[in-house]
Amino acid sequence: MDRRIFSAAFVAVALIAGATTQADARGAKDFYTQDYKFDRPMRGYEGQAGNYYCSYQRLPNRVCSVDRSGNERCKIKGWTLRQHCY
C-alpha cells in the first residue's frame, strides 16, 4: 500500500511540474507541499520531478502527558512525511 501512495504522489508531482501557469511565465514557480501519515518513519521522493525539485522531512507525531510530579513524558505515536516541491 505504501508504494501505491508514493507512486500516486510522484505522478501528481510530475503532472504539476508539467503544467504551465502564469507564475511560470513570469519566471517564478509555485511551492507545493503534501503531508502523509504513517505508523513508522518512511522515505519520500527526493530529486528532480520535471521542472521542480522535491525533498521531504520525517516528523514524529508526539503525544505528551504530565505526571503528578510535573514531569512531561512524550511518546511517538506515528510519523508524518512532509513532501516539498519547489
Side-chain angles (χ1 to χ4, degrees):
M1 177 160 169
D2 297 334
R3 288 186 183 190
R4 284 182 277 153
I5 291 172
F6 290 119
S7 296
F10 183 73
V11 169
V13 169
L15 290 174
I16 291 169
T20 304
T21 64
Q22 287 182 340
D24 290 332
R26 291 189 311 264
K29 291 189 289 184
D30 293 325
F31 177 82
Y32 298 97
T33 185
Q34 180 74 37
D35 287 350
Y36 303 94
K37 306 282 185 190
F38 296 100
D39 58 347
R40 59 190 175 99
M42 302 294 288
R43 293 179 189 243
Y45 175 75
E46 181 138 8
Q48 282 299 127
N51 198 25
Y52 286 83
Y53 182 82
C54 297
S55 62
Y56 66 93
Q57 294 174 307
R58 289 181 286 196
L59 306 167
N61 300 330
R62 291 186 175 94
V63 176
C64 299
S65 61
V66 179
D67 63 14
R68 292 182 183 177
S69 303
N71 298 322
E72 185 177 41
R73 304 226 185 263
C74 298
K75 292 184 179 181
I76 296 175
K77 294 292 185 176
W79 290 83
T80 299
L81 178 73
R82 183 167 292 152
Q83 191 88 38
H84 304 281
C85 295
Y86 49 92

